[in-house]
Every structure is written in structure tokens, then in C-alpha cells.
């Protein structure tokens, strides 16, 4: 038998990505998808028009340099455009960071449970995922993360707010960590839910970039801006790091439609904040209701809440998800660990509250 092409050994070890399920239609019942932390609002004013206009150029390649998008981001966040790298969602940036900085066997320290794409991207890069358990309150255990750094550590991933558990890091915590981690370690601050954070001493990414040359911020248009389907995110860092990320990027990855929609979204700041504020208000209402019903829910700084349901058999998480489905909401169970539920339409949130008090 002639030998067949063999993928690198790491490929077989890549854990599967479990996407949030899409609702199964139920007769006479609107089913809400609360399983992927999506934004329930339609695109911001002017965004659909900008995207449609860009679609007239479907026969042309997009601007590979993302020039106009970099200019818009640079103006909005007061950063030199050379310090930015755009990609097809911030997940792509995580892949690029690992590809650009990790050799096989290099270690990447991150919290766990955290964003499920991390171990996938790390394994795909043939690097080693070093998982540091979150605390009982779903927070990063930063002391343990610092202690996990070895000579092989190349990258540390901080997820703030942490998906799926909810709490965010404070600026002081991140600064203290950065003072303890060797500067040769790239520290990624994944700010996918940045816009939803409402806390004292919130992370000031721009100031971190000024003070630490080994920091990368990753951000996305998928969550607060509601452009999950268009696939566009960006990293902000030193010019050197941004250069490395651009070097490994997929040529023409970010479509012209996505670039136009992202720029138009940046131009609708007031409307964005209005929507985010409304979602944050709903988040407070849901949290208060769940806690009043007797659930212990960790602090929620993103657009989702976390039900901690540790159970070796996974029965509790499966039962919760099934009951939710019957109530017309699709949630995201993590078998044997817990259930994450996005903040969605008011009606959807009402159903969650009703369900959660019933299950308590
Ligand atoms: C959703 C999410 C992202 C971004 O996803 P993209 O759609 O690829 O931009 C990144 N990090 C975390 C923690 C997320 O939850």
C-alpha cells in the first residue's frame, strides 16, 4: 500500500469547536437563540447601506491593506494605523498570534474554562495549552497563571470578560500580572466584550499599550456591533507585533463588505452605546432576577450569564438545555460544567427568568 498524505500529528488532537445551536422551529412559538452571544439588534443605522454599496464591487478583490478601516480605527482609538492588524474576526487574530509567535511545543497559558477557541487554535499551532482553572467565582486565577509560566511560555491569553463565566479583570490586576510576567511573553488581552464592561477600575487597553510593549489587545465587531456574520476584528499592539500579525494574515481575508460595514459601524457610536446600554440594563435585570430566585451567578460583564452546574454525568447541563428548548430559548450547555445564556430580546430574557425560577 502506498503511504497516504499524513497531516501533522497535532491535527488529530484538535478539539472540536461546538457552535451554539440554531433553534429548531416550534409551531406557535418564537424560539430565541441565546447560544452564541450574538447581538439581538439589527445592524446599526447606515451599516446595511454601506455593506450593500460595497457589494456592488463583488467582482473586485477587497483592499488588502484595509486602509480605510485602519484610518477609521486609528482616529476612533487614537492609535497609529501601523499598530493595528485586522482579520476575519478576532478568532483569526488569536490564530495569527499563535502562528506568528509559537514554535511546536511552546506553551500558551490561559484560564479554563474560558473561550473554547483557545485550545483549538493552540493545538492547531502545535503549541501546548497550559490550562489554569478559574476560581469558584469564575475569575482568572492570576497568581496561578503567573506561576504556570516556564521557559517555554510564549503567549498568555487573558479573556476579559471571561467567556463563558462572565467576570472581567481589573486594570490593576492586569498591570500587576504584567509586572510579574517576563516581557518576552506576549500577553493577549481578549476584549471581545469590552463595550459591555461596567465596573470600577476597568481595563484601560490604550494605557496598557503605552506602558507594556508585550501586550496585544484583540477586539471584534461580532458582539456589541452585531456583525458576527461578516467576520471582522482587529488587534492593537506595538508596530512590531502588528507587523508580525499582518505578515501571517490570509491575503484579502477581510471582505470589502466587512470593511465598509465596520467603518460605518464606527460612525454610529451614539446608537451603539444606546443599544449596549439597553443590553447592560437587561443583563442587570436578569442577574437580579436569577439571584433572587436563588441561583449563584458569577459577576457578568459580557452579554451573557453563567450557570455553574458541575456534575460528572453532564445530566444537569443537558436537562437545563432541554428545558430551555421547551421554553423556546436555545442556550449553550458545557457538558458537566455549566450553561451559558446570552442576553437577548426582552421576551427571551423573560423566558430565561421564568425557566430559571422553575428549575430552582
Ligand atoms: C466571540 C468571541 C471572540 C470573537 O469572535 P469573532 O467573531 O471571531 O471576532 C473572541 N474572543 C472571545 C472570548 C469571544 O467570546
Amino acid at each position: 500500500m502506498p503511504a497516504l498524505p499524513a497531516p501533522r500529528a497535532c491535527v488529530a488532537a484538535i478539539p472540536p469547536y461546538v457552535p451554539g445551536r440554531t433553534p429548531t422551529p416550534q409551531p406557535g412559538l418564537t424560539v430565541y437563540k441565546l447560544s452564541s452571544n450574538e447581538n439581538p439588534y439589527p445592524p446599526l443605522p447606515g451599516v446595511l447601506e454601506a455593506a450593500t454599496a460595497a457589494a456592488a464591487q463583488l467582482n473586485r478583490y477587497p483592499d488588502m491593506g484595509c486602509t480605510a478601516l485602519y484610518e477609521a480605527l486609528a482616529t476612533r482609538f487614537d492609535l497609529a494605523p501601523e499598530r493595528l492588524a485586522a482579520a476575519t474576526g478576532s478568532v483569526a487574530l488569536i490564530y495569527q498570534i499563535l502562528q506568528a509567535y509559537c514554535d511546536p511545543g511552546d506553551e500558551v497559558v490561559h484560564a479554563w474554562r474560558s473561550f473554547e477557541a483557545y485550545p483549538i487554535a493552540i493545538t492547531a499551532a502545535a503549541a501546548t495549552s497550559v490550562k489554569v482553572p478559574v476560581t469558584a467565582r469564575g475569575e482568572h486565577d492570576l497568581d496561578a497563571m503567573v506561576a504556570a509560566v516556564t521557559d517555554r511560555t510564549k503567549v498568555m491569553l487573558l479573556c476579559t470578560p471571561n467567556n463563558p463565566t462572565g467576570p472581567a479583570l481589573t486594570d490593576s490586576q492586569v498591570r500587576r500580572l504584567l509586572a510579574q510576567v517576563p516581557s518576552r511573553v506576549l500577553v493577549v488581552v481578549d476584549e471581545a466584550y469590552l463595550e459591555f464592561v461596567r465596573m470600577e477600575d476597568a481595563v484601560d487597553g490604550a494605557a496598557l499599550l503605552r506602558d507594556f510593549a508585550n501586550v496585544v489587545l484583540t477586539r471584534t465587531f461580532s458582539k456589541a456591533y452585531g456583525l458576527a456574520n461578516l467576520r471582522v476584528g482587529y488587534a492593537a499592539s506595538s508596530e512590531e507585533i502588528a507587523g508580525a500579525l499582518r505578515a501571517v494574515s490570509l491575503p484579502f481575508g477581510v471582505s470589502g463588505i466587512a470593511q465598509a460595514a465596520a467603518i460605518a459601524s464606527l460612525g454610529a457610536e451614539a446608537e451603539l452605546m444606546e443599544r449596549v446600554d439597553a443590553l447592560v440594563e437587561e443583563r442587570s435585570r436578569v442577574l437580579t432576577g436569577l439571584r433572587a430566585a436563588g441561583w449563584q451567578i458569577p459577576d457578568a460583564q459580557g452579554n451573557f450569564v453563567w450557570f455553574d452546574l458541575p456534575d460528572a454525568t453532564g445530566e444537569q447541563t443537558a436537562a437545563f438545555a432541554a428545558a430551555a428548548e421547551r421554553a423556546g430559548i436555545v442556550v449553550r450547555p458545557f457538558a458537566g460544567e455549566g450553561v451559558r445564556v446570552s442576553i437577548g430580546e426582552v421576551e427571551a430574557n423573560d423566558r430565561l427568568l421564568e425557566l430559571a425560577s422553575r428549575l430552582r
Side-chain angles (χ1 to χ4, degrees):
M1 274 283 279
L4 292 171
R8 292 185 301 156
C10 64
V11 174
I14 297 174
Y17 190 104
V18 184
R21 273 202 338 94
T22 299
T24 320
Q26 295 186 39
L29 181 68
T30 307
V31 187
Y32 294 97
K33 185 177 178 216
L34 303 179
S35 53
S36 297
N37 294 348
E38 293 154 344
N39 196 315
Y41 291 98
L44 287 159
V47 172
L48 213 49
E49 292 77 3
T52 309
Q57 297 286 307
L58 279 179
N59 57 315
R60 303 288 177 196
Y61 281 103
D63 170 14
M64 191 172 127
C66 295
T67 325
L69 176 56
Y70 286 145
E71 284 303 330
L73 287 167
T75 305
R76 169 68 184 78
F77 297 107
D78 195 20
L79 276 173
E82 296 74 26
R83 302 183 65 170
L84 300 165
T88 55
S90 56
V91 166
L93 287 155
I94 306 285
Y95 273 73
Q96 286 169 222
I97 288 165
L98 299 168
Q99 190 188 354
Y101 284 89
C102 291
D103 284 309
D106 280 347
E107 293 170 1
V108 180
V109 175
H110 62 95
W112 198 251
R113 170 63 68 177
S114 187
F115 187 32
E116 90 167 309
Y118 294 161
I120 297 174
I122 294 165
T123 312
T128 301
S129 176
V130 178
K131 296 186 168 103
V132 179
V134 294
T135 67
R137 299 166 69 184
E139 295 170 357
H140 283 47
D141 185 343
L142 294 182
D143 289 335
M145 289 178 78
V146 170
V149 172
T150 71
D151 290 347
R152 295 291 322 247
T153 307
K154 262 304 187 47
V155 176
M156 183 180 282
L157 302 170
L158 303 177
C159 189
T160 177
N162 189 49
N163 175 8
T165 60
L169 294 165
T170 64
D171 199 59
S172 320
Q173 284 177 315
V174 175
R175 284 176 173 274
R176 185 166 168 268
L177 172 114
L178 285 165
Q180 292 173 285
V181 169
S183 57
R184 61 175 170 77
V185 175
L186 192 72
V187 177
V188 180
V189 184
D190 182 340
E191 297 192 298
Y193 302 96
L194 165 75
E195 296 83 0
F196 299 102
V197 175
R198 298 288 184 277
M199 65 194 281
E200 303 246 312
D201 194 18
V203 169
D204 181 346
L208 289 181
L209 289 183
R210 275 198 298 278
D211 296 341
F212 299 91
N214 59 328
V215 167
V216 188
L217 313 174
T218 58
R219 295 179 181 164
T220 181
F221 285 93
S222 297
K223 305 286 162 54
Y225 289 93
L227 297 182
N229 203 330
L230 275 182
R231 314 307 305 128
V232 54
Y234 65 96
S237 62
S238 69
E239 215 176 302
E240 291 73 17
I241 295 171
L245 300 186
R246 289 184 188 195
V248 298
S249 72
L250 198 65
F252 305 110
V254 183
S255 73
I257 299 176
Q259 293 180 37
I263 293 166
S265 297
L266 287 170
E269 186 74 17
E271 292 92 340
L272 170 78
M273 287 329 289
E274 232 171 79
R275 288 165 179 212
V276 169
D277 282 345
L279 287 168
V280 167
E281 219 165 279
E282 276 296 282
R283 178 181 76 194
S284 305
R285 181 174 78 90
V286 169
L287 266 181
T288 305
L290 294 177
R291 287 173 177 161
W295 287 92
Q296 283 194 7
I297 307 288
D299 188 28
Q301 292 290 332
N303 62 341
F304 53 89
V305 292
W306 174 247
F307 295 82
D308 197 35
L309 297 167
D311 157 29
T313 65
E315 270 165 37
Q316 280 198 65
T317 42
F320 191 113
E325 182 100 28
R326 285 192 295 276
I329 53 176
V330 182
V331 300
R332 173 68 170 90
F334 293 82
E337 293 178 74
V339 174
R340 187 193 68 199
V341 188
S342 312
I343 301 298
E345 296 82 349
V346 173
E347 163 74 15
N349 305 332
D350 283 343
R351 288 195 201 169
L352 171 66
L353 286 170
E354 196 274 321
L355 168 79
S357 14
R358 199 147 41 79
L359 291 182
R360 195 62 210 165

